[in-house]
Amino acid sequence: MTRLIVWRHGNTDWNAAARVQGQTDVPLNDLGRRQAVDAAELLVRLRPAAIVASDLSRAADTAAALAALTGLPVGTDERLRERHFGEWQGHTMAEVAAERPEEHARWTAGEDVIGGGVETLEDLGKRVCDALQDAARLAPPGGTVVVASHGAAARSGVGHLLGWGREQLRTLRALQNCHWVELTHDESRGWQMSAYNVGVLAERPAPPPV
C-alpha cells in the first residue's frame, strides 16, 4: 500500500489579509514558518521516502522544514502550483466580491468563473492529479510520499484523483494552513482517503483556500 500526504503550505501575510494569492509567489510569514516546523515534527514520524513541492516558495519552504528533519531532497513540480486566479490575484476577496460580483458569485457556488482569467476547475484538478500520481510513483512498496501544495490545488487534485464530482468535493472544508490529506492506494481498492485536514491545532481560523 502506498501512502500519499498532500500538505498545504504555512500561513502568509496574504492569507492573513484574505488576499488572493493564486500563482503569485508570496513567502511564508513568521507564523507560517512556525507552522511548517510544527507540522514537520509530526510528518517525520511517517518516515517519508520522498518529498515533492510546488515550486512557489510558500510550498517549497514548507517542504524544506520536513526535509531538514529527514535529510531528503525536495523535488519541485510546477503542476502543484495553486489555481491561477488571473485578474483576482493581489486583491482581497472583499474587493473581488465588490468589483467582480458575477465572477465572485460563480466562485462561491463552486462553478467555473467566467472572465477574469481564472483557471477552470477541470484544468486545475487534472494538472494537480497528474502531479500527485507521478509523486506517488516515487514511493517504494509500502512507502510514503509527502507533497506540499496549496489549498485550492490540493482539494481539486485530491478530488480528481478520487473521481469525485464537484458537488461531492464541495462537502470538504478548505484545508487549514499546514494541514494535510492522507490518501492510500493499493491494487484492489485504488485510491482512498483515510484522513482530511489533519495537523497541529491552528492558531487562527483558516483563511480562504487561495
Side-chain angles (χ1 to χ4, degrees):
M1 179 181 292
T2 299
R3 178 166 52 190
L4 183 64
I5 303 296
V6 185
W7 185 21
R8 187 186 179 195
H9 62 78
N11 194 262
T12 72
D13 288 345
W14 283 25
N15 282 151
R19 192 172 297 279
V20 181
Q21 296 179 123
Q23 295 188 4
T24 309
D25 198 3
V26 182
L28 296 176
N29 58 23
D30 289 342
L31 171 59
R33 286 186 286 272
R34 291 198 305 273
Q35 290 173 329
V37 170
D38 290 344
E41 290 176 352
L42 295 180
L43 290 171
V44 71
R45 301 174 191 176
L46 302 181
R47 299 180 180 179
I51 305 171
V52 184
S54 157
D55 61 344
L56 297 179
S57 63
R58 59 190 182 270
D61 290 348
T62 296
L66 180 58
L69 299 180
T70 62
L72 293 168
V74 178
T76 57
D77 189 333
E78 67 179 18
R79 294 175 298 174
L80 294 168
R81 288 182 179 186
E82 182 55 292
R83 185 180 186 181
H84 183 61
F85 277 88
E87 295 173 25
W88 293 25
Q89 294 179 181
H91 297 277
T92 66
M93 271 300 176
E95 291 169 343
V96 173
E99 298 169 12
R100 314 177 80 97
E102 293 183 5
E103 294 174 16
H104 185 266
R106 292 185 65 87
W107 175 78
T108 302
E111 300 171 359
D112 281 328
V113 176
I114 306 301
V118 180
E119 185 176 12
T120 69
L121 290 168
E122 178 65 22
D123 287 348
L124 172 66
K126 184 179 187 307
R127 71 166 166 84
V128 178
C129 175
D130 288 346
L132 295 179
Q133 290 177 315
D134 286 347
R137 295 186 184 102
L138 299 174
T144 297
V145 175
V146 175
V147 174
S149 186
H150 308 263
R155 189 164 61 166
S156 289
V158 165
H160 206 89
L161 190 67
L162 294 170
W164 288 3
R166 292 188 186 182
E167 288 305 311
Q168 197 171 0
L169 193 59
R170 279 174 56 77
T171 65
L172 294 177
R173 286 190 58 196
L175 278 177
Q176 297 181 38
N177 285 117
C178 255
H179 283 51
W180 59 87
V181 185
E182 181 174 335
L183 303 162
T184 58
H185 182 273
D186 64 45
E187 294 302 322
S188 61
R189 289 170 292 189
W191 285 104
Q192 295 183 306
M193 181 187 293
S194 55
Y196 184 82
N197 234 345
V198 181
V200 180
L201 183 65
E203 296 186 36
R204 58 179 294 123
V210 296

